[in-house]
Amino acid sequence: MKLFNTATQKLETVPQDHGLTLYTCGPTVYNAPTIGNWRTYIVDDLLVRALRANNLKVTRALNYTDVGHLTSDADTGEDKLQQQAKLEHKKSDQIAAATIAIFETGYRALNLIKPDHVLRATALVPDMIIFIQQLEAKGFVYQTSDGVYFDTSKFATYGQLARLNLAGSKEGARVEKNPEKKNSSDFALWKFSQPNSHRDMEWDSPWGKGFPGWHIECSTMATKLFGHTIDIHTGGIDNLTTHHQNELAQTEALTGQPFVRIWLHIEHLLVEGKRMGKSEGNGLTLTDLTAKGFDPLDLRYLVLLTHYRQKQNFTWEALQAARVARLRMIEKANHTNDDPADKDFIDKLTEIVSEDLDYPQAIAELHLYIKEAKPGLAATIRRADELLFGVINQSKRPKAESTIPEAVLALNKQRDQARADGMYEEADRLRQQIKEAGFEVIDQAQGSIIKQTDAQV
């Protein structure tokens, strides 16, 4: 199996002599993911399916960024969770819990395979402090009035992953200038809390009270789980120039070993030809899709149609066409006969997606096969979907309590305790968070239960 490696700019064979390790940059959990975010996680899921179809064992980790992601790439501004908490008059951990519940609900609705490890940044702050101390001992760290920074001039190959022109870059063009930084590309490992202020999330450290920088969390998690080198690291293309470049630098500076064998980046999803963003007012979510009568799996099917290294343009007309094609697959897959699946054709599809995840070609081949109406068509579609595509099997999934995300169950546990303590306003607030995640609370004499709502994403 071959993948395009961002680091070398060429197709490379995936290592096959051991169990693969895969690290996915997860969401910053301050608001609901957009469909652009979901394109990244869908492609990540397609990668896992393709690897497994090639009989490769893969162990995968995904992180939740619940602290340290600031509003500016220059490590200035406010923590995104803290900012959202102020807007909603809540605590940062409440924002994180509600957003994680929404994310996990969407993850299930899109039929995404659950990672082997899911970690929150706040759970590993002590490990991050140790990581920074070790970098400091190696001479890669310096301190300013607002934090502890990585000195990129000490890392000889800084910028190569993203092909940055460091000599031509000028701080202040896109980000606020920090006069205390030695180099414009230096980045924060630890940020200090402001004097005479109290953050929702802050920790004591050898350098002072504060919180970790955004980039240090992924390096800490990846190396803690998988050691010095991981096989595949995925993420959106927007992570390349700053986040992933900084991850690589700090990790290899510490270990002296290659951090990642293959970097895989997913291109942007546009909306009606425009880049998606809050400023554009087009940050669509799964809820926006379901409100118009679409199934989240329609979006999953749509993502199949454009190669992950190409920008994809979302339109409502394109989503409707994807819905029609997906329903046709379901119709053909539901035919009942005793003919077995066509193994040779399944192998052909696997070979296609094994060439840098060429799912557009694979789905086109499947529809040509459907037109031929060969014996075993229904079984072949079901097997191809189960193995590679994942766009129809979820449609008949029973909605049982066992399918409820752990984050939603945790919110309901908090609500039960609030009711027991007579804190009814807090209980109502938690009920609303659970509702926003697509679930309904039913109070009974023996305690409350959770069920999925018909409109849940």
Side-chain angles (χ1 to χ4, degrees):
M1 179 171 175
K2 294 182 179 180
L3 296 173
F4 186 83
N5 187 355
T6 304
T8 60
Q9 291 289 291
K10 64 182 181 181
L11 284 176
E12 295 188 11
T13 300
V14 174
Q16 300 184 40
D17 58 345
H18 62 282
L20 294 170
T21 53
L22 168 61
Y23 186 88
T24 300
C25 275
T28 300
V29 289
Y30 71 106
N31 61 12
T34 67
I35 59 173
N37 300 136
W38 284 122
R39 184 194 188 196
T40 296
Y41 301 121
I42 291 169
V43 171
D44 198 63
D45 183 79
L46 296 174
L47 168 62
V48 171
R49 290 173 186 265
L51 291 169
R52 291 180 176 177
N54 279 275
N55 299 313
L56 296 171
K57 182 180 179 181
V58 56
T59 304
R60 178 163 156 249
L62 177 142
N63 73 299
Y64 289 139
T65 298
D66 57 352
V67 68
H69 193 169
L70 304 185
T71 54
S72 167
D73 286 345
D75 295 315
T76 61
E78 196 165 15
D79 186 302
K80 291 186 176 182
L81 267 88
Q82 184 114 352
Q83 183 183 63
Q84 191 66 26
K86 288 181 179 178
L87 289 174
E88 297 187 27
H89 305 289
K90 298 175 182 176
K91 296 292 186 181
S92 295
D93 60 348
Q94 294 172 332
I95 296 295
T99 306
I100 288 172
I102 293 170
F103 181 81
E104 291 182 352
T105 301
Y107 211 86
R108 293 174 52 75
L110 287 163
N111 197 16
L112 304 178
I113 299 169
K114 186 176 180 180
D116 301 280
H117 305 280
V118 180
L119 300 173
R120 292 176 65 157
T122 50
L124 292 179
V125 172
D127 297 278
M128 296 180 207
I129 291 173
I130 293 172
F131 197 113
I132 298 169
Q133 286 179 304
Q134 292 173 335
L135 281 174
E136 187 175 42
K138 286 177 173 283
F140 288 96
V141 171
Y142 66 93
Q143 186 170 324
T144 70
S145 62
D146 75 334
V148 177
Y149 284 81
F150 183 91
D151 188 343
T152 56
S153 68
K154 299 289 184 66
F155 187 73
T157 58
Y158 185 85
Q160 286 187 5
L161 174 66
R163 288 160 178 75
L164 301 177
N165 178 16
L166 298 180
S169 65
K170 293 183 179 180
E171 187 178 20
R174 288 183 61 251
V175 296
E176 181 181 349
K177 186 174 181 179
N178 182 344
E180 294 186 71
K181 287 168 64 172
K182 293 182 178 180
N183 313 283
S184 63
S185 55
D186 294 350
F187 56 91
L189 301 167
W190 188 265
K191 292 286 287 184
F192 298 137
S193 298
Q194 294 297 315
N196 303 317
S197 67
H198 175 73
R199 287 174 44 88
D200 287 345
M201 297 178 290
E202 58 184 2
W203 294 261
D204 291 322
S205 80
W207 312 280
K209 189 180 291 293
F211 57 97
W214 175 29
H215 319 297
I216 195 68
E217 67 176 77
C218 288
S219 293
T220 303
M221 291 180 189
T223 55
K224 184 179 179 68
L225 289 171
F226 300 138
H228 292 171
T229 304
I230 56 180
D231 293 305
I232 307 172
H233 193 315
T234 67
I237 192 68
D238 51 315
N239 286 323
L240 174 59
T241 55
T242 302
H243 185 47
H244 288 171
Q245 182 62 68
N246 294 348
E247 271 189 68
L248 183 152
Q250 65 197 7
T251 309
E252 294 190 359
L254 179 63
T255 68
Q257 302 294 322
F259 176 39
V260 175
R261 290 188 172 93
I262 295 177
W263 290 90
L264 186 146
H265 290 94
I266 297 95
E267 260 290 359
H268 291 295
L269 180 72
L270 308 177
V271 175
E272 306 287 352
K274 296 181 179 180
R275 182 166 177 173
M276 185 180 300
K278 286 185 177 180
S279 60
E280 298 285 349
N282 61 2
L284 298 172
T285 67
L286 290 183
T287 300
D288 294 318
L289 271 55
T290 57
K292 287 183 174 288
F294 290 98
D295 189 304
L297 292 178
D298 298 332
L299 175 66
R300 182 181 175 104
Y301 185 95
L302 182 64
V303 169
L304 292 172
L305 304 181
T306 302
H307 194 272
Y308 76 91
R309 286 196 284 121
Q310 297 176 334
K311 290 183 174 66
Q312 183 169 23
N313 187 33
F314 173 91
T315 67
W316 291 107
E317 292 78 12
L319 187 63
Q320 177 60 29
R323 174 181 173 80
V324 170
R326 190 180 73 85
L327 291 177
R328 184 182 179 213
M329 280 182 63
I330 294 174
E331 177 190 1
K332 298 297 183 181
N334 285 342
H335 287 179
T336 303
N337 59 57
D338 297 327
D339 295 320
D342 185 339
K343 183 180 182 302
D344 290 341
F345 182 70
I346 299 297
D347 289 344
K348 178 181 179 179
L349 293 180
T350 300
E351 184 177 347
I352 291 171
V353 301
S354 298
E355 190 72 12
D356 198 28
L357 305 183
D358 194 355
Y359 274 90
Q361 181 61 36
I363 199 71
E365 290 288 341
L366 178 61
H367 280 286
L368 288 175
Y369 189 85
I370 289 174
K371 287 183 179 180
E372 295 177 1
K374 293 183 177 181
L377 176 61
T380 302
I381 295 173
R382 290 195 297 268
R383 179 56 182 156
D385 185 72
E386 177 187 31
L387 189 67
L388 299 173
F389 302 118
V391 296
I392 64 175
N393 283 354
Q394 280 285 90
S395 62
K396 301 297 183 182
R397 186 184 74 243
K399 296 183 177 181
E401 184 168 348
S402 61
T403 67
I404 297 170
E406 293 180 4
V408 173
L409 294 174
L411 286 174
N412 193 50
K413 185 176 180 180
Q414 294 176 34
R415 181 180 175 274
D416 284 341
Q417 186 61 52
R419 292 179 70 227
D421 294 340
M423 301 170 62
Y424 298 113
E425 289 187 5
E426 174 68 3
D428 288 343
R429 184 188 65 76
L430 290 166
R431 177 194 284 272
Q432 182 60 31
Q433 287 188 358
I434 293 169
K435 181 179 179 181
E436 290 171 358
F439 294 84
E440 180 182 357
V441 180
I442 300 174
D443 292 321
Q444 298 181 336
Q446 299 84 3
S448 61
I449 61 172
I450 301 284
K451 75 171 186 177
Q452 294 174 329
T453 62
D454 292 338
Q456 78 100 14
V457 298

